[in-house]
Amino acid sequence: MLVKWEKQGANIVPRAANQTALDTMLSTALPAVQERFATLITEQAAAEHDARAEALLRREPHYAKSPIDGKLMVSVDAGIFRAGRGNRPTWLEAFSIDVYPTTNADYARFVRATGHRAPQHWPGGKCPDSIFDHPVVWVTWHDADAYAEWAGKALPTSEQWEKAARGTKGRAYPWGDAPTAAKCNVLDSEIGRTTPVSRYQSGVSPYGVFDMCGNTWEWCASESEPGRHELKGSAFTSPFIHATPSLFNAANATMQDNDTGFRCVSLSPE
């Protein structure tokens, strides 16, 4: 069936019994076969806007709360997405990702529970009420990794982060292809500081994930070279031209700044 689909694609309309058999075979097939089929479906939906392929790819968001830090997470299905500036087809296993970046309030719970050092912008080591729902900043990669370990999660790879931001079809931005700076907190917005993580509701990704453009750069697990880790998302200090989720950026793991934070993933769907 897979070989026939590769030869004929959209010309195939399986009978009900054949469709059931195909679904069963795909669910038990090896990952290489699943990846081949997912590539076909994803490319067909992206190139032709085929209604049948869109229906196969469409999923209702599945939200759950992480048991330790209590953060809302959303599931990202296994499958192909278009990655990087070249939109290369890339396979990822299923995972869940925090809907919002780690906030100062989230990080305060971690500090209280573990005795980890507080960020330098908290007066007297206490989180100010005025920024409790803003993303935590002044954290190194090691700080972010320690939080993730405490929460029973992990920092996202750059590819996990990018798929959660762009969806499967290679959107230029989380909301689509239109370069709309008003949908995120970047330098062009002239705010000059972090904003609450739930502010930009018109800028959410196809999975319903917030702040994947602007507000703060976010640490990723992926190393660009020993001791340096990738950063994604841009920040309130960055011009909008740097806000595309496919952009490459990296920094030393000991770097900390007023525009750098993080979010976490769970390696199995919540």
Side-chain angles (χ1 to χ4, degrees), residues 181 186-191 236 238-241:
V186 288
L187 185 63
D188 310 54
S189 308
E190 298 183 346
I191 295 173
F236 71 91
S238 309
F240 182 69
I241 58 172

Coordinates of all heavy atoms in Angstrom, one line a residue, residues 181 186-191 236 238-241:
A181 N 5.1 42.3 13.3 CA 5.9 42.5 14.5 C 4.9 42.7 15.7 O 5.3 42.5 16.9 CB 6.8 43.7 14.4
V186 N 9.2 42.4 20.5 CA 10.5 42.5 19.9 C 11.0 44.0 20.0 O 10.2 44.9 20.5 CB 10.6 42.0 18.5 CG1 10.5 40.5 18.4 CG2 9.5 42.7 17.6
L187 N 12.2 44.3 19.6 CA 12.7 45.6 19.7 C 11.8 46.6 19.0 O 11.6 47.8 19.4 CB 14.1 45.7 19.1 CG 14.9 47.0 19.2 CD1 15.1 47.3 20.6 CD2 16.2 46.9 18.4
D188 N 11.2 46.2 17.8 CA 10.4 47.1 17.0 C 9.1 47.5 17.8 O 8.5 48.5 17.5 CB 9.9 46.4 15.7 CG 11.1 45.8 15.0 OD1 11.9 45.0 15.6 OD2 11.2 46.1 13.8
S189 N 8.7 46.7 18.8 CA 7.5 47.0 19.6 C 7.8 48.1 20.6 O 6.8 48.7 21.1 CB 7.1 45.7 20.4 OG 7.0 44.6 19.6
E190 N 9.0 48.5 20.8 CA 9.4 49.6 21.7 C 8.9 49.5 23.1 O 8.6 50.5 23.7 CB 9.0 50.9 21.0 CG 9.7 51.2 19.7 CD 9.3 52.5 19.1 OE1 8.3 53.1 19.6 OE2 10.0 52.9 18.1
I191 N 8.8 48.3 23.6 CA 8.4 48.1 25.0 C 9.6 48.1 25.9 O 9.5 48.7 27.0 CB 7.6 46.7 25.1 CG1 6.3 46.7 24.3 CG2 7.3 46.4 26.6 CD1 5.6 45.4 24.3
F236 N 12.9 40.8 23.5 CA 12.5 42.2 23.4 C 13.6 43.1 23.0 O 13.4 44.2 22.6 CB 11.9 42.6 24.8 CG 12.9 42.7 25.9 CD1 13.5 44.0 26.1 CD2 13.2 41.7 26.7 CE1 14.5 44.1 27.1 CE2 14.1 41.8 27.7 CZ 14.8 43.0 27.9
S238 N 15.7 42.2 20.5 CA 16.1 41.8 19.2 C 15.2 42.5 18.1 O 13.9 42.6 18.3 CB 15.9 40.3 19.0 OG 16.6 39.6 20.1
P239 N 15.7 42.9 17.0 CA 14.9 43.4 15.9 C 14.0 42.2 15.3 O 14.4 41.1 15.4 CB 15.9 43.9 14.8 CG 17.2 43.2 15.2 CD 17.2 42.9 16.6
F240 N 12.9 42.6 14.8 CA 11.9 41.6 14.3 C 12.6 40.6 13.3 O 12.2 39.5 13.2 CB 10.7 42.2 13.7 CG 9.7 41.3 13.3 CD1 9.0 40.5 14.2 CD2 9.4 41.1 11.9 CE1 8.0 39.6 13.7 CE2 8.5 40.2 11.5 CZ 7.8 39.4 12.4
I241 N 13.5 41.1 12.5 CA 14.2 40.2 11.5 C 14.9 39.0 12.1 O 15.2 38.1 11.4 CB 15.2 41.0 10.6 CG1 16.3 41.7 11.5 CG2 14.4 42.1 9.8 CD1 17.4 42.3 10.6

